[in-house]
Amino acid sequence: MAFTPIDESTWERREYLEVFRQTAIYLTADVDITPLYQRTKARGEKLYPALVWCVAAVLNRHAHFRYGRDQAGRIGVWDQLHPYYTVPRRDAPDLFAMKVTRFTPDYDAFLSQFREDCARAETCGRLLCDETLPPNLCGISAVPGLAFSAFSFGGDPKPDFTPFVLLGRVHPAGERTVLPVGGEFAHAVNDGSHISGFFQELEETAAGLLLD
């Protein structure tokens, strides 16, 4: 885990931080996951870990999604983000646990660790499965029973800079299989071009995963 502080006095986004410090952007789009859905189904695998990996892979490719603050409050860029995702609990199906799996560009290695982590989360019996959390996280959650078209959180705006991603119910759209994906982005570090690029690249990444 490495953190590279920026010089706020010369940072190209200094003015954006001052104006949009308390502003979050919420945007939802349908993402075509037809190839990935077909491949995971053919392999008898769950779709969720593949989607978590795809989201984390896109975020990790771009510094503008890896902005954060260290313990001293300095703004900087993490070298890597790890997905922090939700898992239904076996002891209480209406509740969920939250678990971290370390990201690796090697999907098969990630999948193996994800399965172990997910099994622990299912039976940990509490919300926060990990005793301690690294600071370089990207939040991912799911509403698998709903093909939603928009989402937002109530309360105060986003306090950090890292995107939060919400996955909805996979459903058919003509000959395609689509997934509603909602994202919460900090406007201090992310603009429209960054956000639209996230959704476009997520679709491309999903299309390219599990190609033999």
Side-chain angles (χ1 to χ4, degrees):
M1 177 182 68
F3 181 83
T4 304
I6 63 165
D7 182 351
E8 288 191 49
S9 65
T10 60
W11 188 30
E12 69 274 13
R13 295 200 65 91
R14 179 180 178 181
E15 183 180 9
Y16 296 82
L17 175 67
E18 293 172 353
V19 174
F20 299 117
R21 185 183 299 272
Q22 296 296 317
T23 302
I25 298 174
Y26 301 89
L27 197 146
T28 299
D30 279 340
V31 175
D32 185 348
I33 60 163
T34 306
L36 181 60
Y37 178 79
Q38 293 172 343
R39 291 173 198 144
T40 53
K41 189 174 182 180
R43 289 169 56 142
E45 296 177 357
K46 293 183 178 181
L47 183 61
Y48 188 45
L51 294 174
V52 169
W53 184 89
C54 286
V55 170
V58 174
L59 297 181
N60 271 296
R61 290 185 194 126
H62 303 283
H64 54 251
F65 292 135
R66 290 185 275 109
Y67 278 109
R69 292 184 184 272
D70 64 5
Q71 292 182 339
R74 297 177 301 174
I75 298 174
V77 179
W78 297 108
D79 66 330
Q80 192 173 54
L81 297 175
H82 303 296
Y84 188 38
Y85 53 90
T86 56
V87 178
R89 283 169 48 180
R90 289 186 181 180
D91 64 319
D94 290 336
L95 300 177
F96 63 91
M98 300 175 67
K99 187 72 183 76
V100 179
T101 294
R102 293 188 61 83
F103 177 76
T104 171
D106 183 334
Y107 175 67
D108 288 331
F110 176 85
L111 178 60
S112 178
Q113 187 61 56
F114 182 97
R115 287 170 172 164
E116 293 182 18
D117 291 341
C118 191
R120 285 196 291 271
E122 288 176 334
T123 57
C124 72
R126 59 184 185 274
L127 172 61
L128 305 180
C129 188
D130 297 280
E131 294 287 339
T132 59
L133 292 172
N136 51 329
L137 299 175
C138 56
I140 302 172
S141 190
V143 185
L146 181 65
F148 58 84
S149 58
F151 97 101
S152 66
F153 288 120
D156 295 331
K158 189 171 179 58
D160 60 8
F161 296 135
T162 308
F164 169 83
V165 176
L166 182 66
L167 309 173
R169 179 173 64 85
V170 175
H171 62 282
E175 297 182 354
R176 302 180 304 147
T177 300
V178 300
L179 172 76
V181 178
E184 181 193 25
F185 302 87
H187 197 7
V189 294
N190 291 153
D191 304 319
S193 61
H194 301 139
I195 297 170
S196 61
F198 166 78
F199 288 99
Q200 292 166 4
E201 194 169 335
L202 180 60
E203 189 168 290
E204 294 167 358
T205 301
L209 186 61
L210 300 180
L211 283 172
D212 295 327

